[in-house]
Structure formats: structure tokens, C-alpha cells
Amino acid sequence: MNAESPRQEVAPGKRVALVLGAGGARGIAHVGVIQALEARGYQVAGIAGASMGALVGGIYAAGRLKEYTDWACALERTDVLRLLDFVYGYPGLIRGERVIAALRELVGDHLIEDLPIPYTAVATDLASQREVWLTRGKLFDAIRASIAIPMVFTPAQFEGRELVDGGLLAPVPIAATRQMRVDRVIAVDVNGPAPWANPALAPRAEEAEAGHGEEEEAPEPGGDAPDGLRERMASIWDSITASVTPARTGKHKSRGVMDLMSRSLDTMQAHMSRVQLAQDPPDLLIQLSRESATFYEFWRARELVERGRAAAEKALDAAGL
């Protein structure tokens, strides 16, 4: 149930805690999952999220999911690039203030403890090497901490602690929902197995190209950067775009730095997800293949929302829910 809507009577068995997993751009699929649950009359009575799951879950808890979805689905590649405030000499490529400012303007400022839906953002404390459950304070401070992918985003300072991406230790943070009074726990894992067993599901180059048309000329990254830094930023972006090209054309090229980082993160999070789900299984698991998108392909939002909705409907049908 959207937090903007007045509370209504919910049918027995329909109050759920939603666990939204980490996975970069694939986490946009969480929007489609929520849409599918709402369409079947489920009420989300609690949310725990890591990384992109914390972002989508927090925006939903604040009652602004539709506005976020419209905004995200309108993003082109050049729009995504303009949201990246590249930095040099910091422990990360991107400061993250620009995208957080854009989201704060879209969603508004909220305190977690004032949200109408209990919400937990999960981050990782580098000093203690433990996961941290953020359940109070400013919503976007918690989101910024949870999405701080090491080496990509600079770490977040939160109440005196240096925090990074919650997906490092808890890519599917089920434990954070166990105290919520709900009928069932539904977890969404966007690091699911690749569908190689079914070749019909493998991405085809022509499908990846569909809807993109001719490549747009990207704006120069770091337009306000000092002299000499702009070329370095352009080289970083070239590494990103170079890693996208082989998947779309089938041509062999050396793997770009961001593609290597993406694959490495996927490998780590997929393994951690399997461990978490085996140790603490939810009542219902909804999975999206890790091959659905790389962690930085935020310009594929519309497609990923649809993939999330389809995955949720398939899992709900299989469970008879």
C-alpha cells in the first residue's frame, strides 16, 4: 500500500515485510515488485533495504514512489552522466552529492522515525566490519550511506562512523525484518542465477540495442573540474561505455574497468545472497537474474521495472498467492 494512501482494511495474510536487495541499477526492479504486490492487495507493513534496495524502499516509505519512477524512467544515458559528480583525490570516483540532491528535491526531506512505514537502511561499518541498521535520522543520510559502493562512491559519514554499501555484508537483509509484526516476509534478490539453462532467455544484441537508437554524444564529465582533470574523467567514462559495447555488438574487446568492477561486485553479492538466503530463508523469494543489467545501467529503468513486475507475478503465481 502506498504511504500516500489512507489506511484501509487489509485481508488476512496480506501484511508483509519487504526485503529489497542490493544490485545497483537492477534494484530499480524493486519498483515493479512493489507495483505487483499492491495490485494483488498486499500491504507493505515494513521495509528493509540494502544499497539500491534502501533507496527504493525509503522513497516508497516516504510515499513518493510514483514520482521517482516517472523520473527514473525518463533518464537517458547523458542524464545519468550529468548526475555523477566525479572527484579526484578522494576514496571514491563519485562524491554522490549531486544525485542525492536531485532525489531529495524530488522526494523531500524526511526523518526515518516519522515515516508511515517502518524502514531500515542497511550499511556497512568499515571500522567494526559489521552491518549497521539505520532506523532513525535523515532518510537521505541513511540512503547515501547504504549506496556507498566502495571505490565508486566516497564513504558516507553518519553519526561519527564511516559507512559504505550495505550490500557488502547483507545484500538481502532479511534479519532486519524479523522483529516486524507481519504475516510473511517477502525478499527480492536481484543477484539471481544467470538463465543460461534456457538460451531463449539470454540477452540478444538486437534486443539490447532496441530503443536506444544512435549513440548520443555524451557531455564531458567533470565540466567544473580543474584543468587536466576533465581528461581523466572522460577516460573513466570511456571505460564505462567500452564495457557496454561488447555485450550489444558481440564483438570481442578487452574488459573495461567498470565492467570488471561490475562483474566483481555481482560475484561477491551473488555469493553473499546465496549464503543469507540459505541461513535465513524468507517466506517468499522473488529473484531477478544478475545478467538483467550491469550495476551502472540506470538508463534502462523502464525495462527493469517491467522485469521486476514480471518476476514478482511469476513468484506469486507459483506460490499460489
Side-chain angles (χ1 to χ4, degrees):
M1 179 178 292
N2 192 305
E4 291 178 323
S5 305
R7 293 295 179 186
Q8 300 175 355
E9 290 297 324
V10 180
K14 292 286 190 177
R15 281 174 52 85
V16 301
L18 195 55
V19 182
L20 303 179
R26 291 190 301 276
I28 300 174
H30 295 318
V31 173
V33 171
I34 292 171
Q35 291 173 348
L37 290 173
E38 287 189 325
R40 299 202 183 196
Y42 286 92
Q43 179 191 46
V44 178
I47 301 172
S51 199
M52 193 62 186
L55 189 150
V56 173
I59 291 173
Y60 175 72
R64 304 288 287 181
L65 189 65
K66 182 182 185 304
E67 289 80 0
Y68 168 75
T69 305
D70 292 343
W71 176 80
C73 288
L75 290 176
E76 301 289 344
R77 292 188 218 185
T78 51
D79 300 318
V80 173
L81 180 57
R82 290 188 182 98
L83 289 169
L84 305 182
D85 43 0
F86 289 100
V87 292
Y88 181 64
Y90 286 78
L93 299 176
I94 300 165
R95 183 178 285 115
E97 293 178 1
R98 191 174 297 169
V99 65
I100 290 295
L103 290 170
R104 185 181 285 112
E105 182 178 354
L106 184 72
V107 176
D109 283 315
H110 300 270
L111 292 175
I112 295 174
E113 53 267 37
D114 293 339
L115 295 174
I117 300 175
Y119 166 80
T120 301
V122 178
T124 299
D125 187 325
L126 288 177
S128 66
Q129 297 184 337
R130 295 180 178 178
E131 63 184 88
V132 178
W133 297 356
L134 305 175
T135 58
R136 56 187 174 83
K138 293 183 178 180
L139 174 62
F140 278 104
D141 286 353
I143 289 174
R144 174 62 180 84
S146 189
I147 67 170
I149 301 172
M151 297 180 290
V152 178
F153 285 101
T154 58
Q157 302 299 321
F158 191 93
E159 297 184 351
R161 291 178 291 185
E162 188 176 51
L163 304 181
V164 296
D165 193 338
L168 285 182
L169 296 180
V172 190
I174 296 172
T177 66
R178 288 308 186 188
Q179 298 302 313
M180 297 178 180
R181 303 180 67 179
V182 295
D183 298 312
R184 58 172 53 91
V185 174
I186 297 178
V188 187
D189 172 25
V190 294
N191 295 293
W196 306 134
N198 184 353
L201 297 179
R204 298 193 299 269
E206 60 269 24
E207 290 177 343
E209 290 287 356
H212 292 288
E214 295 184 0
E215 293 291 328
E216 299 178 70
E217 183 178 349
E220 292 186 356
D224 54 355
D227 290 342
L229 182 55
R230 189 174 303 173
E231 290 77 9
R232 184 182 294 271
M233 300 308 180
S235 128
I236 292 171
W237 184 248
D238 284 345
S239 296
I240 296 175
T241 55
S243 70
V244 174
T245 302
R248 294 210 173 120
T249 65
K251 297 177 183 177
H252 176 73
K253 287 191 178 182
S254 60
R255 195 178 297 281
V257 62
M258 290 299 286
D259 188 46
L260 178 60
M261 186 179 295
S262 173
R263 296 286 179 174
S264 300
L265 284 169
D266 289 349
T267 299
M268 178 192 69
Q269 291 186 343
H271 173 73
M272 291 295 296
S273 296
R274 288 194 297 270
V275 171
Q276 281 191 301
L277 292 168
Q279 292 178 340
D280 190 12
D283 298 302
L284 177 68
L285 174 64
I286 298 170
Q287 280 190 311
L288 195 75
S289 168
R290 62 180 177 272
E291 296 296 327
S292 301
T294 58
F295 83 87
Y296 51 81
E297 291 184 294
F298 288 92
W299 53 85
R300 295 174 60 188
R302 192 176 304 277
E303 170 195 348
L304 289 165
V305 170
E306 291 304 317
R307 284 177 178 260
R309 184 187 294 112
E313 290 174 347
K314 180 179 179 180
L316 289 165
D317 287 342
L321 299 174

